[in-house]
Amino acid sequence: MDFEYIISLVMPTYNRAEEIQVSIRTLLDTLPESIFKNKIELIILDNGSNYNVDDILKDIVILSKKKLTLRIIKNGENIGNDDNFLKGLCEARGKYILQCSDRYYYNIDFLSLIPILEGETSNCIIFSDRFRKYTKTAITINNSYKDEWLKEEFIITILEKAVSKEDF
């Protein structure tokens, strides 16, 4: 199977206008310009929020243009968290998928991760605890939050076989 991207970042959201902006900005802050633009996609799945997600994210759309491919998918009504995330999995065009939350900070070392994933041929699960729950504290995108991270590496677990929905 051919994939359009190395990794798809899938971020469901519902009524978190402020939080999603901070969350996406922390992702974008970890990406150098132009290096991975054609290797990473970020899919925002708006689950019928009570605001126009395009208006909320207009600055982020501009910031993201040189860093990754951004797609915003809007549901006409709230379809539930699980179905919204599953919709993101179906929409993802990446070889690997990383579930993201609209209420976490991210500090992903894409410079190290992408070359590893490009060389990986096995089915695998990518796990990282390099995020911090968003809170309305002094931590913002304007000051340093790097000391908040627990670990500095990704754990890549090789699977014996691909996992499909029939396995559940």
Side-chain angles (χ1 to χ4, degrees):
M1 178 178 228
D2 290 328
F3 296 97
E4 199 170 329
Y5 302 96
I6 296 296
I7 190 165
S8 295
L9 310 172
V10 177
M11 185 179 290
T13 188
Y14 177 69
N15 285 343
R16 291 195 180 108
E18 182 181 343
E19 293 93 330
I20 193 168
Q21 292 179 72
V22 174
S23 185
I24 295 171
R25 285 178 189 269
T26 63
L27 275 170
L28 293 175
D29 284 349
T30 65
L31 284 167
E33 285 190 10
S34 302
I35 294 177
F36 300 125
K37 170 139 179 48
N38 298 322
K39 296 182 181 187
I40 301 172
E41 73 169 336
L42 172 60
I43 304 171
I44 307 297
L45 296 124
D46 179 48
N47 206 6
S49 296
N50 61 12
Y51 54 82
N52 185 336
V53 71
D54 292 325
D55 290 342
I56 296 297
L57 299 179
K58 65 183 174 189
D59 292 337
I60 287 174
V61 169
I62 294 167
L63 287 172
S64 70
K65 286 192 184 295
K66 292 183 180 176
K67 297 190 174 200
L68 50 73
T69 299
L70 175 65
R71 289 195 293 145
I72 300 173
I73 299 170
K74 296 179 268 189
N75 299 326
E77 62 182 8
N78 189 320
I79 61 173
N81 187 48
D82 292 342
D83 285 344
N84 196 30
F85 176 67
L86 289 174
K87 184 175 182 178
L89 293 180
C90 293
E91 290 285 338
R93 300 179 195 152
K95 181 178 178 184
Y96 301 100
I97 299 170
L98 179 61
Q99 178 182 2
C100 296
S101 173
D102 61 356
R103 58 190 171 154
Y104 288 94
Y105 292 123
Y106 292 91
N107 187 25
I108 300 171
D109 182 3
F110 286 105
L111 284 173
S112 298
L113 178 63
I114 295 298
I116 291 170
L117 295 179
E118 285 179 315
E120 186 56 56
T121 57
S122 303
N123 297 306
C124 67
I125 296 172
I126 306 167
F127 169 80
S128 176
D129 61 0
R130 293 196 61 151
F131 57 86
R132 180 180 187 280
K133 190 168 184 175
Y134 174 82
T135 57
K136 293 184 178 183
T137 63
I139 297 173
T140 68
I141 59 169
N142 295 324
N143 57 22
S144 176
Y145 45 80
K146 291 185 170 62
D147 58 340
E148 297 290 332
W149 311 119
L150 299 175
K151 290 186 180 176
E152 297 204 9
E153 70 278 342
F154 279 85
I155 299 168
I156 299 179
T157 303
I158 305 301
L159 301 176
E160 291 183 22
K161 68 176 191 100
V163 179
S164 67
K165 63 182 179 183
E166 288 81 23
D167 294 326
F168 295 99

